[in-house]
Amino acid sequence: MSKLIAPSILAADFANLQRDVEMVNASQADWFHIDIMDGVFVPNISFGMPVLKAIAKHAQKTLDVHLMIVDPDRYIQTFADLGATILTVHYEACTHLHRTLQAIKATGMQAGIALNPHTPVSVLEDIIEDTDLVCLMSVNPGFGGQSFIETTYKKVKQLRSMIDTSNSNCKIEIDGGVTDKNAKALTDAGADVLVAGSFVFRSENPTQTIQNLKQIVD
Ligand code: DX5
Ligand code: ZN
């Protein structure tokens, strides 16, 4: 399966959001990665439903929504109504994770689990077959532009072997500090989807940067 690139809209120019969404539409990017933060689960607030609605109006690709919020069950139906394709919740924010994943899938969305850098992949052993995507955080969630945490490689390999020995088609996504320097090593270790925020949107030519990332991981 070809590897996927998901530009993170958190790093877009919010005063030119339509322009940046159209750039991603016209590029070789595969998904839109959308970060929702509540200022409680993470020490930052990004944007909420009205902004996601505006993005969804123009976006022509998969909407990969990453919730960094406490008690995400409250908003599952809302995100389905807004057009999310994949809804990812944090392991650390869900007491009844199995129930949460079932509720996400009942709406027709795909269900993802994100793990903070300190959370071992072994906690997923009994839920991996119910999961469509695991998002391994390679920075502490809350902000774009942070440096990649190197222990992520070990986690990707462990998760790859867990998925390969299970009945799961779950994808592995890497989120945080992805650049042209670590992209190839990450997909070689078994990652399927690379999120890239600052590296894409802070570059001189984001369309070209996305194309380069696609080529590197191909
Ligand atoms: C961090 C977010 C990431 C962020 C990645 O909390 O989940 O998706 O946008 O940004 P970069 O690629 O700049 O590390
Ligand atoms: Zn994210």
Side-chain angles (χ1 to χ4, degrees):
M1 195 197 70
S2 78
K3 307 291 182 173
L4 309 181
I5 302 295
S8 176
I9 291 299
L10 185 64
D13 178 353
F14 292 166
N16 288 284
L17 206 41
Q18 184 177 353
R19 181 199 66 190
D20 285 0
V21 169
E22 300 289 5
M23 182 283 291
V24 175
N25 282 339
S27 77
Q28 288 183 23
D30 299 280
W31 295 355
F32 286 87
H33 184 82
I34 317 271
D35 290 305
I36 307 286
M37 305 177 186
D38 66 356
V40 179
F41 181 70
V42 288
N44 192 17
I45 298 175
S46 53
F47 50 78
M49 285 71 171
V51 175
L52 176 55
K53 193 174 179 187
I55 294 167
K57 192 170 156 202
H58 301 287
Q60 289 161 7
K61 297 178 177 180
T62 291
L63 293 182
D64 169 36
V65 177
H66 175 195
L67 299 184
M68 284 158 273
I69 67 173
V70 296
D71 201 3
D73 301 63
R74 292 171 294 165
Y75 298 112
I76 291 172
Q77 190 58 52
T78 305
F79 284 105
D81 294 342
L82 285 166
T85 323
I86 304 163
L87 194 66
T88 296
V89 295
H90 265 264
Y91 168 82
E92 301 83 3
C94 297
T95 310
H96 301 288
L97 185 56
H98 185 274
R99 180 187 291 155
T100 303
L101 295 192
Q102 302 311 320
I104 293 171
K105 290 197 277 191
T107 68
M109 294 184 289
Q110 294 169 47
I113 304 173
L115 294 188
N116 278 339
H118 74 275
T119 304
V121 301
S122 57
V123 300
L124 299 174
E125 241 159 58
D126 293 332
I127 196 139
I128 198 71
E129 293 182 13
D130 298 289
T131 311
D132 297 305
L133 176 100
V134 173
C135 174
L136 292 178
M137 292 307 303
S138 38
V139 297
N140 285 294
F143 303 93
Q146 305 179 81
S147 338
F148 180 82
I149 298 172
E150 298 284 327
T151 48
T152 309
Y153 293 115
K154 179 193 77 182
K155 293 174 80 172
V156 180
K157 287 182 200 146
Q158 290 170 341
L159 183 56
R160 184 80 266 159
S161 86
M162 186 191 294
I163 292 169
D164 290 349
T165 55
S166 73
N167 266 329
S168 168
N169 285 323
C170 180
K171 286 187 171 60
I172 302 177
E173 177 177 70
I174 309 299
D175 189 8
V178 170
T179 68
D180 57 353
K181 302 285 183 294
N182 53 25
K184 180 76 181 144
L186 285 166
T187 53
D188 283 351
D192 303 295
V193 188
L194 302 182
V195 173
S198 315
F199 186 68
V200 166
F201 287 99
R202 302 277 171 272
S203 70
E204 227 164 80
N205 185 338
T207 307
Q208 185 65 46
T209 303
I210 292 167
Q211 189 179 323
N212 293 348
L213 282 174
K214 276 298 271 188
Q215 266 163 10
I216 289 170
V217 299
D218 230 11

